Amino acid sequence: MTTIDTDEAVRHLRAALQEVAGAAIVLDEQLRIVAYTTEAEELLEVAPELGVSAPKLLCGYGEERPVAEALAEGRAVTAEILRPTEEGENRAIQVRASPVEVDDDRGWLLMLDADLWRSEGAEGPIEAWNIVTRDPTMKQLLRDVKKVATSNASVLVRGETGSGKELIAHAIHVASKRADGPFRAINCAALPPNLLESELFGHVRGAFTGAVRDAPGHFRLADGGTLFLDEVAELPLDVQAKLLRVLQERTVIPVGGRDPVPVDVRVVSATHRALRKEVEAGRFRSDVLYRLRVIPLYLPPLRERPDDVELLAWHFLEQRAEEEGGREIQRMTPGAVQALAEYDWPGNVRELQNVIEYATVMGEGPVLTEADLPPEVRGEDQTASAKVTTPDSSLAALRAELPPEARRLLNALERSGGHMGRAAQSLGISRTTLWRKLKKHGLDRESLESGSASDAEG
């Protein structure tokens, strides 16, 4: 008769449970803890005691007891609980409880997930992967990044120039199981087609004039990790065809070579263009689009998240103080904060970073004033703001088809010279509300500048 080591069996079961469910706790019919995974222990920052009531551990004695109440009623539940951390703060943990039938008894499987972006004080700022925000849309994007990171699916990040697409790509990498592998990035618009092909796929010695030695290329250098293709819409059609082969076959043939080389690479690409429109125009292959756009993510421009401007300004000030060791800013004057908030940020987060660098270099002392900022941010150079000029025939035709509210918005923008802050003030609404109303009527930056409403693709 073969005997079974009970302790060893339990260890195997815990390992199997952790592989399938991650951070998880198993309860019996009386809601007592009968098993838990190592990840659950790390997440809760305390080792659950076997035989102890799970609701007490998870909900404590707080007034809100969503998990305890649902389990007592025999209901499956997805809820959030707050657990104190070692730093004295509260961390939000999502709990998903599902019933488990064992003969005639019912148990429960609780799967736990820490959500950094649903912490106590939902409107407060968060920081993850060197990205700081208090904007709800950005927080949702970071949640999506966390989900996306668990797979190897190709991701397409859509966002304006300077909005931080490479930061999102890097976040996907460091949050994934490939984090220990390389992260490579290449700007597809920065190189001519002949060099771009070699940079991506590598070349063999003698493949062309100047090829004095073999070169692996970015795909092979990113093996086991992530390759970020920025401005992927700029790829020439012949390079797109070779990229398709790599995405389908997971092999690379260097320029001038014959033998395919296997590669294990997760591809994250980015563009500020609508790729579907590029396909319609014949500039981008539809089969490549579908391979790259398995999971699309949208990164909003800075002007659509005005609450992040001051937060990011302080983030960049702190970075410069640490890296440069130069001027240390202790506070910003109300005038400087207002100027930053009212500026339109056509260059997005990258422009804000440059503005902060300018201000710290050009100003003096521990206080950053409005005078330290570049002229365009102070409102002295309106060419840097979104321009709404005297209506031409196309804009006039557009205006005639708009409802009264949309025409009022356009009139206010014209009177303010395109300055979003002053236009909003004249309308008696906030800058954020003005942007929302413009978006509602299909009046984004392209339509205001070209006189035709655009149908932005997500």
Side-chain angles (χ1 to χ4, degrees):
M1 178 178 177
T2 303
T3 59
I4 298 176
D5 185 332
T6 305
D7 291 340
E8 184 179 358
V10 169
R11 286 196 300 272
H12 281 300
L13 285 173
R14 285 184 62 179
L17 180 61
Q18 184 157 311
E19 184 68 25
V20 174
I25 298 176
V26 179
L27 313 181
D28 63 13
E29 194 168 20
Q30 283 72 47
L31 308 183
R32 296 173 299 196
I33 298 171
V34 296
Y36 60 89
T37 64
T38 304
E39 285 191 15
E41 180 180 349
E42 293 173 352
L43 191 59
L44 295 170
E45 296 185 352
V46 63
E49 186 178 345
L50 299 181
V52 168
S53 168
K56 180 180 178 181
L57 172 69
L58 296 175
C59 299
Y61 298 97
E63 295 181 7
E64 300 291 331
R65 302 173 60 81
V67 177
E69 293 170 2
L71 294 182
E73 296 172 7
R75 293 186 289 108
V77 64
T78 297
E80 290 177 359
I81 62 170
L82 293 177
R83 289 281 304 174
T85 66
E86 293 179 350
E87 292 77 21
E89 301 174 350
N90 281 329
R91 173 193 288 179
I93 297 178
Q94 186 183 69
V95 180
R96 288 177 292 160
S98 303
V100 178
E101 301 290 342
V102 182
D103 296 328
D104 294 331
D105 296 330
R106 166 177 283 195
W108 296 89
L109 173 63
L110 308 186
M111 291 186 287
L112 315 180
D113 182 26
D115 193 338
L116 299 175
W117 307 285
R118 288 193 182 102
S119 56
E120 189 175 27
E123 297 180 357
I126 60 95
E127 180 173 359
W129 308 302
N130 201 34
I131 299 171
V132 294
T133 185
R134 57 162 46 92
D135 179 75
T137 303
M138 281 296 295
K139 289 181 181 180
Q140 181 58 55
L141 175 61
L142 295 180
R143 294 187 196 112
D144 292 340
V145 164
K146 185 180 178 183
K147 294 177 184 177
V148 166
T150 61
S151 78
N152 282 318
S154 298
V155 180
L156 177 65
V157 184
R158 174 84 185 280
E160 293 182 6
T161 301
S163 55
K165 298 186 289 294
E166 184 168 350
L167 271 179
I168 296 298
H170 194 257
I172 293 171
H173 172 71
V174 298
S176 74
K177 293 180 180 179
R178 295 176 173 268
D180 292 334
F183 176 84
R184 305 286 300 186
I186 181 170
N187 188 323
C188 300
L191 296 170
N194 57 328
L195 288 181
L196 182 59
E197 183 179 353
S198 173
E199 285 290 312
L200 282 173
F201 311 123
H203 64 259
V204 299
R205 179 182 177 184
F208 50 83
T209 302
V212 296
R213 62 178 65 87
D214 291 353
H218 280 275
F219 266 100
R220 290 169 66 183
L221 291 171
D223 189 57
T226 304
L227 176 60
F228 174 55
L229 303 178
D230 196 9
E231 300 299 349
V232 72
E234 309 305 320
L235 282 175
L237 287 169
D238 58 335
V239 178
Q240 291 178 36
K242 295 179 180 179
L243 173 61
L244 178 64
R245 184 187 64 230
V246 177
L247 295 173
Q248 288 176 331
E249 301 175 8
R250 299 294 175 183
T251 60
V252 169
I253 299 179
V255 176
R258 295 182 179 179
D259 300 324
V261 180
V263 289
D264 173 25
V265 176
R266 203 259 180 86
V267 175
V268 179
S269 52
T271 179
H272 69 280
R273 299 184 186 275
L275 284 188
R276 291 188 184 277
K277 290 184 178 179
E278 296 299 298
V279 170
E280 292 171 3
R283 293 188 292 265
F284 206 84
R285 294 175 57 120
S286 60
D287 46 8
V288 178
L289 166 63
Y290 298 132
R291 285 283 181 175
L292 293 176
R293 195 181 180 273
V294 176
I295 301 177
L297 296 177
Y298 175 69
L299 179 59
L302 184 57
R303 65 179 175 274
E304 291 183 8
R305 42 190 179 110
D307 290 342
D308 279 354
V309 173
E310 184 179 355
L311 178 68
L312 284 167
W314 277 112
H315 176 67
F316 293 137
L317 285 170
E318 291 168 2
Q319 275 189 344
R320 283 194 58 78
E322 292 175 4
E323 296 170 4
E324 302 290 334
R327 182 184 179 195
E328 201 166 311
I329 304 298
Q330 297 177 4
R331 69 181 183 90
M332 291 189 284
T333 64
V337 172
Q338 183 177 358
L340 292 172
E342 291 184 349
Y343 184 58
D344 192 40
W345 300 111
N348 288 293
V349 178
R350 186 183 300 150
E351 183 183 13
L352 174 58
Q353 187 172 14
N354 292 339
V355 164
I356 293 302
E357 183 172 1
Y358 174 98
T360 55
V361 171
M362 300 302 290
E364 297 179 355
V367 179
L368 191 150
T369 71
E370 186 176 0
D372 296 339
L373 301 173
E376 64 270 19
V377 179
R378 300 198 303 265
E380 296 176 11
D381 181 3
Q382 294 304 322
T383 61
S385 297
K387 295 179 181 178
V388 182
T389 57
T390 303
D392 58 16
S393 58
S394 58
L395 188 55
L398 169 67
R399 187 193 302 272
E401 298 176 0
L402 292 174
E405 181 186 53
R407 290 199 292 271
R408 284 197 299 273
L409 301 179
L410 285 178
N411 289 337
L413 281 168
E414 285 179 1
R415 289 193 300 270
S416 70
H419 194 287
M420 294 295 297
R422 287 195 288 271
Q425 188 175 20
S426 70
L427 291 165
I429 59 178
S430 69
R431 187 168 172 270
T432 305
T433 301
L434 175 56
W435 268 115
R436 287 174 182 160
K437 288 179 178 290
L438 288 170
K439 288 182 65 178
K440 181 181 75 172
H441 294 294
L443 299 173
D444 59 7
R445 178 182 293 274
E446 287 184 26
S447 65
L448 293 177
E449 292 181 348
S450 67
S452 59
S454 67
D455 54 338
E457 175 199 28

